[in-house]
Amino acid sequence: MKSQRISKNVIRRLPRYIRHLDLLTCEGVTRVSSSELGKRMSLTASQIRQDFNCFGGFGQQGYGYNVEELRSKLAAILGMERSRSAIIIGAGNLGRAIIKNFRFGACGVTLRAAFDIGDKREAIGDALSFYDIGELENYLRENPTDIAVLTLPADAADGMAHRLVGAGIRGIWNFTNVELRGIPENVVVENVHFSDSLLALNYYLSKEEK
Amino acid sequence: MKSQRISKNVIRRLPRYIRHLDLLTCEGVTRVSSSELGKRMSLTASQIRQDFNCFGGFGQQGYGYNVEELRSKLAAILGMERSRSAIIIGAGNLGRAIIKNFRFGACGVTLRAAFDIGDKREAIGDALSFYDIGELENYLRENPTDIAVLTLPADAADGMAHRLVGAGIRGIWNFTNVELRGIPENVVVENVHFSDSLLALNYYLSKEEK
């Protein structure tokens, strides 16, 4: 929650670069110019060069970027090769969807355990270690963890976030659509607000109809 | 409203303004200055004024904003009061989580039906009309629909997107983490990439540790 030197918009574009570089690799492309990459991503070549200049620039004027090299540099900046640990709080439909389908490993994160009330244990099956939420503090004492994924009901989000921070969690990935209040500045909160995305879609639909 | 192109970043901030204005209303606050609002949202007062100026500006110098009025103007810009229809394609864990928990109505959207292969019908229960995916084109002919929510497996995403566009869908809310290719320009695609968000969290965690 500190102000950072590199703009959030640049950071948020990096994963998109990585996705497009992966597509290029799949297509057998090993070198790409900023204008070619820009065309695929609906960005201008100058915006791309500007983004990469935030990190010292990666290209050689006139030669374009080596796809594999660029990908690995961006991945390093994003910490994708670092090993982070995570737990997930809430094993309802959304929690289970994330446990079963989301590729944490591709982001450099290992999902280690799920927490909920005991009767949700069966829903998880063998996919992941399951603990009753009462065991949270003990678990975190024995297994220091970087990130907690919040997929519990909205009305429990604020209390749980503070409980997690008290138990040493420093990163919260928040799917509850609640703006968490009073979280210390050294804790990073990343909100996934589905509604922001749907409202943006609405807006652009209306624009198209004009 | 001006018809100039407003940056995506401004559009994406509008839902956040609305969430914070709703919190102010809950707290009984009826008027807020750009600096107070900025403090709550970690934005500068000047950024807020600049954002609102994109739409002609909403405040009166020195008086701050009327919370209710500002909220309703932003909501109108985002089309929250307009009535959009949506269907959801894919009734797995993620689809069910969205059907059961996401408040489409608060975004001005009515979710009308879910599509999947027939044996998923039971998982939906009475929450929503369920159709086998084979009935998609017939349904859309009889029920013109604005938005399709894609919560099906990634490898089926591209084909389904083209099928939907062919059947008249003009907005795609894409949860599949696949970059859809070759979608016509007049179709609006809004991607929800969970990984972008987790990677940003990783990045800011690393920054905090420095």
Side-chain angles (χ1 to χ4, degrees), chain B residues 97-110:
Chain B
I98 289 173
I99 291 168
K100 288 189 188 159
N101 303 317
F102 184 72
R103 298 194 302 131
F104 282 89
C107 296
V109 175
T110 307

Side-chain angles (χ1 to χ4, degrees), chain B residues 76-113:
Chain B
I77 289 168
L78 286 169
M80 288 167 78
E81 285 132 9
R82 188 184 302 228
S83 189
R84 297 269 180 206
S85 54
I87 56 172
I88 188 164
I89 314 290
N93 278 310
L94 181 60
R96 294 204 296 272
I98 289 173
I99 291 168
K100 288 189 188 159
N101 303 317
F102 184 72
R103 298 194 302 131
F104 282 89
C107 296
V109 175
T110 307
L111 183 63
R112 296 204 187 281

